[in-house]
Structures are given as C-alpha cells and as structure tokens.
C-alpha cells in the first residue's frame, strides 16, 4: 500500500542512487557556496568532502551576482573550475539556478521587480528573495540566466541534478501581482458574477463592478474578505509553481537530469499537493529544533508528508543543520549523536539523500552563525568528526536506497483548508491546524505505526485507517470517497471543526459536518470555544477534561463513546462511533487530552487491524519504522533504553548481531536486518 | 430625578412602542441583510421572523454596492420587494443609509476617498469603513444615495425608523482631513496665537507660523504634542457628527420618522455627549463577553450610560449577539439563558427594543462566524428556540415600554477627559479611566442602586450622591456646579488624578486638584505611581494595601479617614472627607481595593440617604433594578440563589405569584410587579 | 592611574569650577526654558534659583521657533532679557544651539529635511528631532542660527558654556542619508571591491556593481547583511559627530568658552568613544529608575563610563530627574533623600556639576509629567525643599571639584562590538552586552572597588585588572596590547563570546577566541546556547548551574577552575586560568551566576592586589568610592546600616565628626575627610 498523489513525482531519486555496475547507495552532502571563498580554498574543500564521504553538493543557489555581475554579462569561468574540481574528486553536483536572490542591480535598475507588502511598503535588496514572482522583468532575467546555465552545463559530467531557486515562498501585493491575480481569478471564476458569488461580496458592500477594481488583500480598515484572502493564497502558491515550471522547462529542454526545488515541509504559503507533481524528485529542508521535546514527532510527521508528496518514492533531505541554526531567538546546537539520529530518521522515512545547509560555514552574511558541516573552527572538531561518521554510516545503508515505507494508516492534510481555517475572525485562534495534526500523529508515532499523509485528491485505496484531524474545507468528491472508504470496511476518524465550508470558504448550511453527518451519524449546531475546561465522561476512556474546543453535538444514531458531564454542555456527545458494515466512522468534536486521544486511536487501530513495526509497543520515546527489509530503531532521548526484539538481527551500522534484546544508548539508532535462519 | 443631557434626545422610542389603540410594546428584531441571500429565502425569513415575534429589522446597512452597482446607477427593485414582504408580515423596518461601506468602485475611481493612517498608509476597499469623513467626493456620493433612499421610501408603510451609517468611528490623517482639521481649529482657537497658546507650542519648538503648517498628529520621531492629539480627537468626533447630521438632514427633509445611528457604549473615538443630542432616539450596540466575569457590571454600566445619553428616555439595543461573536481571539458562545438574561438587563435599564446582529448568519464574509438569530444550522436549534422564547418574553413586558429608571446617584464620565488622561507619557499607564469608572460602579451595582452616568455639562440637580471616579480635565463651570452641589447638601466623591488639567490639557498650576482643593479641604503636590503595594490604615475601613497609584496629599482641614502607614508616604492621607453643611466632599487619592472602595461608597450612600432597589443588599451577584413599577431581578451566575422579597409579586415573565421568597435559577430573571392588596 | 581616551576631552569642567580668587565649587542647576512662560514669571524664577543655590542653567535647547519664527527672521530680544536677568542674579548660562527641534516651517517648506525610517515612512514635525542629519538644507539652517547665536552672545558675561543640540541620536534612511552613507563607505573601503569584500556580498548574491546601488538597510524580505548594518550604525554615529563638529566650530570661531553636548551614557546609537574627544567637557544625562533595584549599580557604571570618556576629567551631570520621569510606562517618583543620594553618586564618581531637566515643570507639551526642580505645585513642596537642601549640600563639597577618581581596575566596552554582537540571527538573543557588562561590574561595585570603563583604543597602562565581559569584535592591535598587559603582570578576565569577529563583523576562522586563544591557553569550537541549566563543578567555587550560554571549550594548557559536570558538555571547561609570569589570563565561557562571578572576580582582585575604598567589604548595598581625599559612603537602601570606619572623619555634608563607627540612614550619604591627627 502506498499513497498516490494527484501527480506523483517521477522516481528521480533512483537516478541518483542506482547506477549500473555498482550497488545502490544513499547520497550525502550539502550546499556548497564556493563563491564565498578564495579559490585557494576550493581544493581543500574537495579533499575534505571526499574524506567525509560527500558525493553530492548543491552549487550556485546564491550565485546570480557572481554569474551576472552586471546586466547581461556572463561570468562562468569560476563555476567551470568548481564543477571540474568537484567532478575530479567524485563529488556530484546538484546545480542550482540562482534566481532566489537577484543581484542589487536588478532592483536598483528595475524597481518594479521588487516586492511590495500588504502595507504598500517596497522591500529592497540587501537581503534575499527581493522579487515579485509576477514581474515580467524579473522573470525575463531569471529565465535568461537559467537558460544560459542549462546551455553551458547540461552535459557537464559532474552535474547529476538541477535545483530551481530556493525555498520558493515569496509574495507580493504590487500592481503586477494584482494583474496576475485578476487573470488567475478569471480562470477560476469565469466572470465577475462568478467572483462576486464565490467571494460573497454582497457582505459589507464589496461587490465588484469591474475587473480592474479587484486587488490583493492590502491594508484595510478592518477584516478582509476571507474568500479573497483564500484565493490570493491559492494564486500566490500557483504563481510560484508557474515560476518553477518556467525555469524547469528551460532546463528540461536541454537535459534529462532530474529537476527539483527544495520544499519546506508544512510551509504555510505553498500548497505542495499542487506542486509535488512538477518536480522529478521531492526535496525538503527540515530543521529540527533541539530545544523542542516534540521535535522527533514533528520531524517524522514532516518526513512522512514529504515521502507522501512524492507518491511514496524516495526523496532528498536537501537541507538540515549539522548543529545550531541562526534564525531562532535562542539557537541550541545538537548534542552528540543528534546529527546522525536526525539523518537516520529521514532515511528510515524514505530519504535517499542526506544533505545539509551548508558545507563550509560562512564567515560573513546573515547566516554566519548557521552551523555547517565544516565549522569555523575547522575539521578538527567534534562536529566535523560526526559528519565523517555520518558519511560512513550512510555508506553502510545503501541497501535501503529505493525502498519504500508501507503504510496502512493515513492522515489527511490540505493547504487550502489550513489557510481557510486559520483566517482571522474564526471561532477560536487556539485551534491550530498543525497542532491538531501533530496531536493525532503522536499516538501513531509512539506505537511505531507507519503513516502516510494524504492530500484531499489522493487515492484512499489500500488504507485501513484514515484520520482527518481537522478538515475545514470539504468538497463533495472527497466526501463521497470517504463514504466509500467506510462502506468498504475502512475505519475513519474525523476531528473537530471539519466539513465546515466549501471550496470558496462559504459555510455549508445545516447541521455540521455538512457532507459527513450522515456517514458519522452525528451532527452539531454550534461551535463552543471553551472559557474553562469541560468535564467529560466515558465508559470506554474514563473521566477527563477537555480544553479550548467543543461542539454542541447530538447523535443521530451513532454510539456515544464519551460525553460532556457538566455545565452548559452536560449530556452532549464528545466522541461518537457509527458502525457501517465492517467499517466504522468516528467523530470527535473536542480536542482530547493526549492520553485519551491515544486510547481512541488505539481503538481505531484495533478495529482497522493495524499494528506497529514491532510486535508490541516500543519503549517510550523510541521510534521504530520499517523501510524495505530494514527495521530502524531510534532513541532520540537522553536515557538509554532496553529493547526486546524477536529473532536475530544484524545492525547495518555496526555489523553487530543482536539476539533478542539490546540496550540502545541515548541518541543512537539501529538499522536492523533480520537474519535468515 | 433623571439625567439631563445638554441636548436630550427626543423621545423617538415612544414612536416605536406606543401606538394608538394598542397597548405599549417592546420591540424585537435585528439586522437583516437580504442581499446576501437568494430571493427565494426571503419569504422563509419573513415567516420565521413572524413566528419568533420579530417586529423590527434594520435593512440596508451594507447595501450600497447593491443599490448603486456602478456610479450613479440605482437598483432599488430588490429593496422594494423586501420592504413590501416585511410589511406584509408585520415586520417594521429601520431603514439604513448604506454609507458605512462604499462600493469598491468609489475607492478605485476616487482614491482620495480612501482613509490614510498616521503612518501615511492608504487603507483600501475589500473590508468596510474605507472612507475619509472629510472627503467631499465621498460625502457627495453618500448624500446622493441617502437622498434617493429617503425620497423613495419616506412614505413606505413598513419603514418606521431610519438608521444612518454604522458604528461611526472612522478616522483619517490625509490632507483632506488636515484641511478639515485646520478649519475646525480656526473655529476653536481663532488665530494662530490662540492655537500656539492652547497647544503650548513653545515646548519643543513647535510654534506654528502659518496655518498651512498645521497637520494631524502623523508619524513622528517621538512623542506628539498632547493638546494637538486631544484636538484631533475632538475634531474627528465632530467630523463624524457632522457626517451624521448631513445624512440625517437629508432624511428629515422627507420624513418625520425618527433617525438614529448605532452608538457603541464607551467607544473611545467618539464623544457621545456631543453627539447624543443629534439623534431622535439613542441606539447602542453591546456585546457581552461570556468569558468575562465582570461583564454583567460592564453591560449594566454601559446601559446606564446609554440611557443617560438620551436624557433618561428609552433607548434601542440595536445590536447584541445571540451567541458567540467572531472578533475576539477566542469566542465563547452564550450558555442557555444568557441571551434572555442579557436582553432583560438592557430592558431593565431602559431599553425599549432588543435587537441583534443579525437575523440570519452569513455564509460568507468576515462575519460568517458571528452568531445570528437564525444560525447556519437552521431553526431547529437550541439557539433559535431561545430566540423565540425571548420574543415571547418581551411581549409580556410591554408594561415597561416608555418607563424611566430613577436614579439619585450619578457617575461622571467625559470623553475629552478620557482622551487627555490616557495620552502617552503620563504618570502611569496602569491608571485606566474605564477601569476606575467600573471599579466605582461595581459597589453601587452590587447594592442594586440605580445610577445615571453624566457628562460634564449635565444638570446635577436631583442627585444626592455624585461620584467623579477620575476627571482629569476639569473646567471652571463644572467646578462651580460641584461646589453648589455640595453646599446644597449633596455628597460628592472625587477619585484620584482628577482636576489635573484645563480644556487644552494644560496642567493647572498649584496644589491639586486645582479647582476643587478648597471644596475638598485637601490638596496634593505629587502623583505617586507605586513601585510596590503601599500599606494604609483607617479607623473606619481597617488596614489595607493600595496598588498602582497614590498621591502626596495633605489635609487642609478635611477629616482624614485613611492614610498611608509606612514607607515614603507614611502619614500621608489617602481618603479625606470634608463636611460642608449637610453635604460632604470626599477625596480618594488612591485606587482602593474593591472591598474598601465598597465601604467608602457605602458610607457615601448612607450620607446621601440613598438605598438600593431592595430593602437590603441583594444576594451576591444578583442584579436588581426598578424600571417604572417593575422590579427586575437577574441572576447572571452559575448557581441558583435564594431571594427574600417583601410583599407579594407577580412575575410578568411567567405569570407566577411570588410570596416573600423565591429561588432563582442560574441565568434567569424575574420581572416583578407588586400585587396591590 | 587613570583612563586615557584616544582623544581626551579638554578640562572644560575646570573652567566652570575654578575661578581665581574664590574656592573651587561644584555647579548646580538645570535646563531652563523661559520661552514656555510669561515674562512676568522670569524674575520669580531667577529669585528662586538664587535661593536654591542654582548657578548654572541651560537655556535655549528648544528655542528655534522662538528665535526664528519664520525663515530667516531673528527674534533675540527675549533671550537678551533672559540672559541679562540670569546674569544679574548670579546664575550662569550654558547656552544651547536650538537645532534639536527645527520649527514646523522647516519641515513644511523643505520636506527633504524630514527623516525617513527604514520602512520608508516620513516622520514629521509636531514632536522633536524631525531632521535628517544629512540634509544640506537642515544643516544650512542649523548653522545659520548657531552662527548668529554665537555672534550675538559670545561675549555675554552670563554665558560660560555652550551646548550643541540635544541628545544627538537621530537617524534617517532617506536618499540624502544614502548618499552620505556612500561617501562614508568610499572613505572606509576605498572601492567597490573593498566594500564587497568587507561586507561579504558573495553571500546571498549581494555583490554591488555600482556605487549608486548601495543604500542603507531598508525594509527587506529577510535578514539584512550584518556588515551593512554595522557600517550604517558607524556612519550614523559619525554623521551626528560631524553635525556636532560643524556647530561647535561655528561657536569656537567666536568664543573660548567650553562647548559640549549631552551624552546619554550607554546610548546604543552613538559611539561615544569616537565622539568624546570632540567636546570640551563631557556631559551626560542619566535617569535613575526608582523602581529598579539594580539602578544604583547601573548609575554608577554609567558615571564611571562617562568619567572615563573624558579621560578621567570631571564631567557634568547635565540632566537627571528631580522626581519621576514621564516616558516609562509607570513612572515612580523618587522617595525622600533619593534626589540627593543620586546626585552624590555622580559627584563621587567625578561629576563637577549636578543639573536637572528641568527647572520649572512644563504645563503643556509631551513632558508635562516629567518632574522638575520647581514642580507644578510650586516651591512649598517637599520636592523643592529637597532641591534647596541639595543646593546647600553641593556648596559644602567644593573641595572635590577638579579631583579625580583613581582606578586600578578597568572594564572594556566598545560600541561597534556591541552593535555587531546584537545584530539579528546570532546564537542567542538572551546574551545581551549591557547585561553581561553590568553583571561583571556589580561584584566590583559591591566591594567598593574603583573602576574605569575603557574603549578598545584606550591605554591599558596603570591598570592591574582588566575585565572584558564580552568583546565580540576584536582587532589585532588590542589583542597585542592585551598580551603585553598580561605579560607585564596584569590580570585579565575575558568573558564569553569574545574575539569572535573582525572589524567588518566577519567571523575569524579557527578555534575561538581567535586572537586570544594562545594568551588564554584555552579555545573553543562551538557556541552552546543552553536549552536548560547546565550543572558545573569547581573545586574553587563549588557546584553551581549556568544558564543561557556555554561554549564547547578545551584547555590548551590553562588550569581548569570550573567545568561542566553533566550532559553533552560533561567535562568541558567553563572557567580557565593561565598564569603568565606574574600575570594571569582568565577565560570564562559561561554566564556565571552572580555569587560565582563574584568569587571569580574576588580571586582576580586578589591576584591583582587591588582592594576597595574601605579596608573590608562594605555592608551589603552600601556604595563607597574615594574621589580625591573625600570618601563617599552612600546608602541607597530602605534600611539603615551600621558602618565601621577606621580613624576619625569629618562629614562635609553635616560637619559631624565620625569616630570609628556610625549609622547611616536610608537614602543618605556621607562625604568624609579623614581628620589628620
């Protein structure tokens, strides 16, 4: 079983890891920015890379001003030398288009390329990302340099992958963006009547009489129209995808190497479900926060999303930090072992390449305090020693390259729903989509259950348990597929504030969740943000309190598994379950405390007949996931754990044989293959 | 006894509640925005309104873009049909001018109509309120549509009231506003010498040499001139009043129906004392916060203000929420009974109409999560059942329509004083005018004492106790009237930081409170924001601590009732009382803790010979107020209360007879009429 | 021993305090703004000044609009009268150029003189400081009025000092500022290659191709280039210094009287080390916060800085508050005695003049609630009585006028290092330069040890202990002088995150602190912002925990005096000491808790052979400092303290003789001279 995206990424990763005549390998490396260093440093870099096992570096992400020092000029010589040098040392290159950061001359000569924020403030150069994706002048310059790069290096032997821009996420409210927005809206809504209906402009006298009146949501006296905001978010995401496509196509016209860009997991501003089908391999940047106790689950959830975006195909961890980052207020570095553990987590969840930002730590610029594989203090450091250990470890894991993670449980996450749900002036800003998603993931993660993360258009076949922690926007097509999923024997769990609105964020009238109430056998009439914790009682799950959120619900035939016990909601159901043949449909109208939510999900897993990667529950905090025939066991905690394992295994990382039980040190992982008798 | 405003509102409410040949009635309804719905929904709305007892709806508040889809066009047909339909169903109409939210075409074609904030940022359409009140172009368009509406519907039988704009509160810092400001300043200060003297421009070299230099307080390097800010606040408030007048006059020229606009209680930006005389009936929007334990007192205080603004005449509760609102971060809905209880509170304090925003909950737009009388889930809901119960309850209370609430106690509240007191760079931003006001109201409220809220120009005759919780600006005229009030036998209590400044916010020199120190027999020399609680002692009120605020005071003959007991203020008076014939003048230089303030006010009430609506103190939390011959008893709490009542009463709400004592359930109220033996 | 600044201020103070034929005196006074008052008030002011002992007032700081009511006009008559009147009453004048606050006509007629913030927002008049220091039009107008003032009053007998502007600290991001910035950069970096190298513009494609592209750091999509920000801070500081110089030179061309401007202690925006050499006497504004328990140490540290800025010469306390200020959110006034105590602290630390903002409290304007020597309530107040007591006290202290404070311990503080260290995206924003500085000062202050504060170019000779609490930027010259200091027998203590970067904020590669690691015998490889407190152990200092900050350090030969005891840092040194002949070099890689830091500094003092002003430790909270032959003992606390003194002393303030021991009341001070036997 596997997730099926609407447009699954082609198996670009395979072209990185599998080559005729040699065993499959995982890739290892990072961003390399040679332009920041004197050329005399480059040979040392190449040698140190080889010694560390680095075989893939991303070059050129921020090189535009070096490649095109003045308008139309081309300065490729230094890049020729770098690519040749890397190739000579066996280091392959992911060659980037430099379009994320135009040179100062572009903004200076063509101010219309600069982005404008919602307050009308022009953002200038001297940082990065200072462009409007809708500016023809910017696009012209970006495509010209991209084309020339592709033309020059399409057959360079070191270049094995292409990388468009960087962390695409810009936005702009300028008049060029407004024009682009109008064109997009015309495609979506047809005519102004369609727009006015979709946006509900009869409210607050917002009816548009002429297309020229339509603008992005700019600074206004009070709340914006939420449908306008939602469409502008969709447009922005699409505009960035279009920009990616344009650069990608310029490259594809000249080479067959896979083309990608680096995603950012649950990045709010881009709908990766609409984007993932455009890349040849999904790549992601992920920065674990060592100070956050929930970061292992957050990282695992994100990796599961990223793998799912690519239809279950292997993906590239394009950026992570070797130590501390620089952009949090207080940047805690990684303790010993964490770099490898974080990397193994990604590999266990489908990554075939483990890369870092960046190879050599910058001396200057805004990211001088972002750690790198080669720190300021040089190679004779604990951090760099760990880099070398990691390189060696990855070489022992070539066996998993190309392998998939099979999941029978899926969580659903949809960007437009997230956007619409968190528009201002909602019932409660304490109900946060990602928090609700993570809280539903954690009990599965703790049990070692493999999970895919699906978009609303993904195929549901092959899953036994489907969880919708919160799906504010729900369209008919998905509602019907959910119905079929349950009648086909699946177990469905729906969380609060779901099925509220249609694709234009208009509330669906009648009892909620509008398109699911028949399936669930329960329906509500009022959302109830709580002023104080509300006592609940359940024969199944015991007594507990819920916080933040409840709903005035009634059962229309479903079994009530928990209900409010006091106050204005006394007797109102909180958790319901409706059996549908061999399937079942659960509804949870409250934000359950973690222990209760874990029980509920445990019941759902039992009903669905799904278990974890180990026969029993893993020790607390231990992560287990099976990829291909390798069982990964990770201990991200500060204490050693005792682990019981059925059968005899070989640990690929150490070569040790484990017979039945073992002790796992803090921040250490195992990559186990069962020994055949 | 009753408050007398400088320009009491005409008894417009009487024209709504009293009609020849039928008993007086209270009005019930809400905003109705039919333009948001398909015409096929309208007949259902009219039927459901009739079933719920709704007999007054406000139509057209946000209809400009529907009425004038393009510049100069008129589209009245749909409104004709709506008004006819409502009339046929016995639902009267409060017809609104749609000027609060111009159509996008106005801002698009005439950007000078758009407001500009203090930072120079233009605020655009796509929300609401996007106009500069000083824009001639906006005013021309607003008056044109208003005139045409009045012309068309002045004799429509369903239209019983007119409603100008909505919650007038806009502000703008554009050049048009600057020009208006200058004209206003010329009227106030005469010439530039007058302006320079009033603003104290000798400070910081701010002297104006030419009228063209004078601008609103826009973004500046540091603190603004406080007198400039104060005058700009006055000007803004007056500009909105002028806008109201212009629209009102266009209506008055065509009909005798009462004209109003919806106030917002203690709304900071408009001086309702200067505005109240312009409306034919005072109308107010009030949104109780169910999560705020002090909201009953806040609501009661606000209702008492609103009634007093209209000279004690009945008023219209124009908007409240049936359940949750949408604009707080966490919007707690109303528990069972709260909708009716909140409505009864308004009626008990003088409201003759109880209305909601809005009739039918919007599917789209920024207020889709604002509750309504008819929720998304439809009429078969607890909320709508409560709406119907409320409609029925109001029908049983027609007896109070037109009746007054008689108060012998008054609190004084002045907008310019509030503005000036809370200008930046004051002694402490922890001294907040409304907090001080509320803390003085609560002990009176808890005793069931009827209170009026007066402006500085109101007549003081007929009151026995006058409380000035904080009156930063004090002019000679009021000071002299306070003197006469006390020498005439009244009891006066003055709170801290009062009498500080003149009408131009210039500090009055000498010991403070400058114009009252002789009357009070006490005076101060230094304001003392406290770094830590200060111990006080009092033979009358026991030992206590005060927080936040104190003053270096001395008695100039007044009796010292409490004084500081330690620290740098040891021995300094905190509460003084000077007997003046049969009257007395109290000064309280500290923010007393609630229990002590309650004792002080209790002593003042005793001196003034004023009691509550019941012979003894009501049970904690219970509100009692007498309006006409009806005694309202409300229990907003979560627990039932036992109530002793002298004599036999009939509860108008249930028809029950109560003999001596009764039990009042949580969130329930009584409307009692004493049975004549 | 004494600090030697790069450009020590001339002994301008001596010209104020020493006059032939009379004993030296301390000066006493404040800002006087007669233009805010009717001329009839002036004679009363002059009389009250004389009665209070005031003999120096600053006049004209905000008089531009009075002196030049319209462009080019001159209105000096009122100032003539004021200066004559003051002179007649024996009150000398510090005459200010009025350039801090241009009249409204300047900004109105010449909008290019107005400052623009980083968001592109123009800041307008109606406040103060509304000018761009780079505007030629502003400078022309400022120099014209300055020249005319100097011309007219250069020989007025009352004028003894000149005062340029006020608290120079403006900044601007306009195009004129950009042009000035480019010129400044050309001087600093030569050509564009130099700029690109210094700023590391290879990072993020920021390479400049043309000087016209270079702009201040304005609003941008993400982080700014830290070297650009650092240079812009340098430029701003220099631009203000240039502005000062221009006005000063216009005055110097006409008079020999000392010229100064009022500094603001540790003001972030101006590098006073680069500025101090330009003034004839250092003057400072200092506002103690009575609500802050650490304010005595803060004030003392600031006074020690200010004295050191002037090369140890006496300085002028130009502004302090007599009571409360107005610009904090909650402005606590001074309790009895605090005004004198705060003044004595300044005198003890080198001030020869004690002045206030301001003489008479304003009735209008943004500072109406700032206390003054003559409060609103008039002279018959406790505050004014204390002013008179202070005047009398200062007259008894003439003996210290001109005397120096000798220090053998120095702390180092550098503005560019502070700026660079606190640029965004650093390891932790919890490491704050001033906090670290103060925490190192407090143990010295508590011991009564005299301390100078040095800039990086100051001479180190004569000191025995040198403390670098945090010196992020470290250049070779200083590193070499530190080396010589230690080898010459000095004790050096270096705090965390020091020696990180070069003068262009580029990180120095290799183990840190790069230029000091050999001297310290210890080096680090990773900064470790802590997620939780880290346990440390020390044979010398006991067990303790550190918070916030640590470093992955190793000893390269130094003695390890404390080390981390657990977790990822277990065994890593935290405090090291390397003996170098009779000198020693300490490194502390953590933020020690106060008690441990005090022990460490105690050890350093012992090694350096430096003690406090008393033989033993002063009672807790008591400040002792020796200036000349006067021993100041101050008790800023709320409790009386018992004090043992060796020998017999006379208290200059009271004339009392103290023999061995005394009791010091709260907020009282002694100025003791040892009696010769």
């Amino acid at each position: 079983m596997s997730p099926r995206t609407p447009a699954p990424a082609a198996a670009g990763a395979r072209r990185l890891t599998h080559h005729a005549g040699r065993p499959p390998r995982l890739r290892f490396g990072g961003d390399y920015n040679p332009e920041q260093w004197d050329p005399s440093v480059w040979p040392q870099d190449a040698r140190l890379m080889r010694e560390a096992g680095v075989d893939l570096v991303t070059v050129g992400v921020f090189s535009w001003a070096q490649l095109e020092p003045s308008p139309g000029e081309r300065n490729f010589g230094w890049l020729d030398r770098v690519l040749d040098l890397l190739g000579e040392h066996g280091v392959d290159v992911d060659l980037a288009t430099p379009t994320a950061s135009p040179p100062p001359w572009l903004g200076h000569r063509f101010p219309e390329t600069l982005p404008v924020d919602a307050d009308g403030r022009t953002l200038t150069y001297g940082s990065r990302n200072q462009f409007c994706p809708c500016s023809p002048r910017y696009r012209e310059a970006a495509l010209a340099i991209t084309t020339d790069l592709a033309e020059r290096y399409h057959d360079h032997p070191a270049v094995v992958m292409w990388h468009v821009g960087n962390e695409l996420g810009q936005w702009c409210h300028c008049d060029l963006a407004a024009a682009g927005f109008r064109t997009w809206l015309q495609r979506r809504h047809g005519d102004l009547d369609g727009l006015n209906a979709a946006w509900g402009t009869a409210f607050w006298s917002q009816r548009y009489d002429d297309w020229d009146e339509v603008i992005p949501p700019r600074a206004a006296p009070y709340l914006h129209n939420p449908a306008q905001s939602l469409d502008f978010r969709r447009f922005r995401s699409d505009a960035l995808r279009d920009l990616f496509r344009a650069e990608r196509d310029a490259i594809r016209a000249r080479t067959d190497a896979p083309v990608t860009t680096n995603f950012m997991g649950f990045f709010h501003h881009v709908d990766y479900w609409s984007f993932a089908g455009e890349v040849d391999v999904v790549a992601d940047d992920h920065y674990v926060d060592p100070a956050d106790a929930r970061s292992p689950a957050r990282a695992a959830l994100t990796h599961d999303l990223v793998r799912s975006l690519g239809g279950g195909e292997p993906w590239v961890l394009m950026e992570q930090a070797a130590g501390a980052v620089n952009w949090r207020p207080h940047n805690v570095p990684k303790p010993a072992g964490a770099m490898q553990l974080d990397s193994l987590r990604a590999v266990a969840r489908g990554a075939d390449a483990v890369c870092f930002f960046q190879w050599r730590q910058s001396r200057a610029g805004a990211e001088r305090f972002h750690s790198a594989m080669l720190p300021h203090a040089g190679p004779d450091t604990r951090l760099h020693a760990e880099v070398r250990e990691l390189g060696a470890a990855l070489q022992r894991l070539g066996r998993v390259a190309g392998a998939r993670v099979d999941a029978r449980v899926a969580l659903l996450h949809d960007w437009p729903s997230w956007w619409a749900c968190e528009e201002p002036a909602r019932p409660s800003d304490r109900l946060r989509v990602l928090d609700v998603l993570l809280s539903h993931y954690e009990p599965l993660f703790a049990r070692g259950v493999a999970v895919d993360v699906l978009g609303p258009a993904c195929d549901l076949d092959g899953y036994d348990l489907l969880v919708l922690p919160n799906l504010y926007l729900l369209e008919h097509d998905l509602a019907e597929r959910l119905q079929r999923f349950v009648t086909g024997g699946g177990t469905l769990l729906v969380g609060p504030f779901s099925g509220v609105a249609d694709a234009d964020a208009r509330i669906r009238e009648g009892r909620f969740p509008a398109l699911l109430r028949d399936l669930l056998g329960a329906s509500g009439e009022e959302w109830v943000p709580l002023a104080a914790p509300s006592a609940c009682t359940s024969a199944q799950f015991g007594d507990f309190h819920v916080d933040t959120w409840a709903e005035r619900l009634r059962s229309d035939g479903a079994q009530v598994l928990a209900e409010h016990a006091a106050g204005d909601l006394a007797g109102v159901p909180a958790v319901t379950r409706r059996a549908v043949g061999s399937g079942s449909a659960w509804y949870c109208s409250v934000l359950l405390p973690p222990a209760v939510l874990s029980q509920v999900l445990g019941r759902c897993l039992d009903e669905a007949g799904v278990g974890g990667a180990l026969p029993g529950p893993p020790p607390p905090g231990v992560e287990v996931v099976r990829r291909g025939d390798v069982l990964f066991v990770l201990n991200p905690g500060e204490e050693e754990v005792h682990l019981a394992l059925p059968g005899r295994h070989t640990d690929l990382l150490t070569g040790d044989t484990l017979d039945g039980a073992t002790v796992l040190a803090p921040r250490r992982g195992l990559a186990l293959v069962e020994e055949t008798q």
Side-chain angles (χ1 to χ4, degrees), chain A residues 171-526:
Chain A
W171 42 328
C172 180
H173 292 74
C174 77
D175 288 342
L176 296 168
F181 186 34
R182 284 191 286 271
T183 303
W184 184 95
L185 288 167
Q186 283 160 350
R187 273 202 303 273
R188 178 172 175 86
H189 297 296
D191 56 14
L192 272 180
D193 287 347
L195 179 83
N196 281 314
W199 285 12
T201 58
F203 181 81
W204 282 357
S205 185
Q206 296 171 349
R207 183 187 167 280
Y208 293 94
D209 186 51
D210 189 295
W211 275 107
D212 284 349
E213 294 161 18
V214 181
I215 53 177
R218 293 175 179 160
Y222 191 41
L223 299 164
H224 285 112
N225 182 315
Q228 178 189 17
S229 295
L230 175 60
D231 271 354
F232 189 62
R233 289 189 176 279
R234 285 183 170 119
F235 159 70
R236 281 164 37 186
S237 179
D238 287 357
L240 292 168
R241 187 188 55 198
D242 290 350
L243 187 60
F244 170 82
R245 278 180 182 152
E247 295 192 30
R248 178 202 62 192
D249 291 348
I251 298 164
R252 273 198 186 158
R254 290 161 182 85
T255 172
D256 291 333
V259 185
T260 190
T261 187
N262 44 347
F263 291 170
M264 292 175 279
F266 289 97
F267 178 64
H268 191 249
H269 298 301
V270 177
D271 177 3
Y272 288 136
W273 287 116
S274 81
F275 208 136
E278 307 288 343
V279 297
D280 295 323
V281 55
V282 173
D284 197 62
D285 298 349
H286 189 81
Y287 290 93
V288 167
D289 181 357
D292 174 12
R294 297 175 78 183
S295 67
R298 277 185 217 281
L301 169 59
T302 307
H303 297 338
D304 289 345
L305 166 74
V306 169
R307 181 188 68 247
S308 303
L309 285 169
E313 293 297 320
W315 53 282
V316 171
L317 179 59
M318 188 63 93
E319 293 183 19
Q320 63 171 333
V325 300
N326 64 320
W327 39 265
R328 296 188 179 107
H330 186 71
N331 297 291
V332 175
K334 294 192 178 183
M339 181 200 301
Q340 183 165 139
L341 192 95
D342 290 340
S343 301
L344 290 177
R345 181 184 296 117
V347 170
R349 295 177 186 277
D352 269 5
V354 170
C355 302
F356 291 82
F357 177 83
Q358 60 182 332
W359 166 253
R360 183 182 278 271
Q361 190 165 5
S362 299
R363 285 190 62 208
E367 295 186 329
R368 65 213 177 283
F369 290 118
H370 194 294
S371 62
M373 300 169 81
L374 185 59
H376 294 139
D380 181 19
T381 48
R382 190 189 83 180
L383 188 147
H384 191 68
E386 292 201 31
V387 167
R388 293 179 172 219
E389 287 168 27
L390 174 59
L394 293 173
Q395 285 176 12
R396 295 183 208 111
L397 296 177
R399 178 179 190 132
V400 299
R404 299 174 64 94
V405 175
D406 288 333
R408 293 170 56 201
V409 177
L411 294 176
L412 209 135
H413 177 71
D414 177 35
W415 266 265
S417 180
W418 182 15
W419 295 332
C421 184
E422 295 192 356
E423 272 296 308
R426 58 186 182 278
S428 174
D429 64 9
R430 300 181 200 166
L431 186 84
R432 309 275 305 168
V433 171
L434 287 196
D435 290 348
V436 177
L437 181 66
L438 181 62
S439 68
H440 283 75
Y441 181 78
E442 283 173 325
L444 303 167
F445 174 69
R447 282 176 170 87
V449 172
V451 174
D452 285 339
V453 181
L454 304 186
C458 292
D459 194 345
L460 308 181
D461 285 355
Y463 295 101
D464 296 303
L465 170 60
L466 195 59
V467 182
L468 275 64
N470 165 265
L471 192 69
Y472 176 84
L473 293 191
L474 178 63
E475 299 189 57
H476 285 278
D477 168 68
L478 178 58
E480 286 156 16
R481 289 187 290 125
L482 292 173
Q483 170 85 32
R484 285 201 297 274
F485 174 79
V486 175
T487 53
T491 299
L492 172 70
L493 173 65
V494 176
F497 206 46
S498 289
V500 173
D502 68 15
D504 292 310
R506 287 175 300 206
I507 310 296
R508 293 194 189 278
E509 288 192 286
R511 300 182 69 84
F512 58 77
L515 304 182
L516 296 179
R517 60 188 176 229
D518 292 343
L519 177 62
L520 298 170
S523 66
E525 63 183 67
E526 189 174 35

